[in-house]
Amino acid sequence: MNVFQVFTHHVRTAVESLAKAGAAPNRKRSTTANTTDPDSRLLASQHGIVQGFNAQLAVTADQLITAVGLSNHANDTEELIPMMTATAQAAAHLGEVTRRTDTAIGTVLADAGYFTQTNLTAPGPDRLIAANDRRKQAKAPVTTGTAPPTASAADQMRHRVATEEGRQLYRQRCTIVEPVNGHLKDRIGLRRFSRRGLPAAIAELNLAAATLNLLKLHRAAIA
């Protein structure tokens, strides 16, 4: 089983959604703390600023969740290596339990939120990390061959993702992971955590991921 690991993030509200508020001229912003859920943070989302967490998913090409992560970090730069580690452990455990030899991780597909020197050069499986968002990535000129050996890790990755092979492979990221995100939100109902605190929220996310996987396996078994 050649596995494409796909990473994304979505912010789940832990307590309440907050409207964006502009600071008054020449007025210092006050420091505030959430006393009902101190683990959560104010994070930017597609719907504005929310009080919540940054959730991570690792998803296989057949849309099974292999690992989840949850933090209060404002961006994704520190999340890739822990998720790759968790996924590698899951793949190794699967191989031990099933005694299969085809559970190796294939290529990690990650969006531009993970594009850092540390994530590009860290030990682990092969990976494609986009340097730009999807629109800029699609407009980038197509490259051929391999980047010069003297190129930096960032330039080598930009070159590789822009090749025809890299483009075709990277396009799979959205079609693999976004349906899983939608399933969690609309079919499982995880649009908002019902419990407070990081340990409780990660437990809820794990339960939702396990439910999604079990339902998918059940439907596959009776198909």
Side-chain angles (χ1 to χ4, degrees), residues 154-172:
D155 287 340
Q156 289 185 31
M157 183 59 69
R158 291 188 182 95
H159 181 96
R160 184 182 172 198
V161 175
T163 64
E164 190 59 40
E165 180 183 3
R167 286 170 182 261
Q168 291 180 5
L169 184 58
Y170 188 77
R171 286 192 191 105
Q172 299 181 49

Side-chain angles (χ1 to χ4, degrees), residues 11-42:
V11 175
R12 304 295 190 188
T13 53
V15 182
E16 59 183 339
S17 296
L18 302 178
K20 288 185 177 179
N26 301 321
R27 182 179 177 182
K28 293 183 179 180
R29 294 185 178 182
S30 61
T31 301
T32 60
N34 190 302
T35 57
T36 59
D37 193 352
D39 290 343
S40 64
R41 296 290 185 273
L42 292 175

Side-chain angles (χ1 to χ4, degrees), residues 3 12-13 35 44 96 109 125 149 154 169 191 205:
V3 180
R12 304 295 190 188
T13 53
T35 57
E96 292 175 1
L109 304 177
L169 184 58
R191 286 188 172 273
L205 181 58

Side-chain angles (χ1 to χ4, degrees), residues 9-177:
H9 85 279
H10 43 273
V11 175
R12 304 295 190 188
T13 53
V15 182
E16 59 183 339
S17 296
L18 302 178
K20 288 185 177 179
N26 301 321
R27 182 179 177 182
K28 293 183 179 180
R29 294 185 178 182
S30 61
T31 301
T32 60
N34 190 302
T35 57
T36 59
D37 193 352
D39 290 343
S40 64
R41 296 290 185 273
L42 292 175
L43 303 174
S45 77
Q46 293 179 345
H47 306 289
I49 304 299
V50 298
Q51 184 82 29
F53 297 106
N54 181 345
Q56 305 284 322
L57 300 177
V59 182
T60 65
D62 48 4
Q63 297 182 333
L64 288 174
I65 300 173
T66 58
V68 300
L70 198 70
S71 74
N72 53 25
H73 299 153
N75 56 55
D76 298 328
T77 57
E78 298 180 23
E79 311 301 329
L80 182 62
I81 295 175
M83 290 300 291
M84 287 197 300
T85 300
T87 300
Q89 293 172 347
H93 180 67
L94 179 63
E96 292 175 1
V97 171
T98 62
R99 297 183 179 180
R100 293 175 57 174
T101 59
D102 58 348
T103 59
I105 298 175
T107 301
V108 174
L109 304 177
D111 65 29
Y114 306 94
F115 194 87
T116 67
Q117 177 72 12
T118 299
N119 290 336
L120 290 170
T121 59
D126 180 42
R127 70 209 66 163
L128 281 180
I129 306 178
N132 303 304
D133 61 30
R134 281 179 290 178
R135 292 180 181 179
K136 291 183 179 179
Q137 194 70 40
K139 294 180 180 179
V142 178
T143 58
T144 58
T146 59
T150 56
S152 65
D155 287 340
Q156 289 185 31
M157 183 59 69
R158 291 188 182 95
H159 181 96
R160 184 182 172 198
V161 175
T163 64
E164 190 59 40
E165 180 183 3
R167 286 170 182 261
Q168 291 180 5
L169 184 58
Y170 188 77
R171 286 192 191 105
Q172 299 181 49
R173 194 195 71 82
C174 285
T175 59
I176 292 172
V177 73

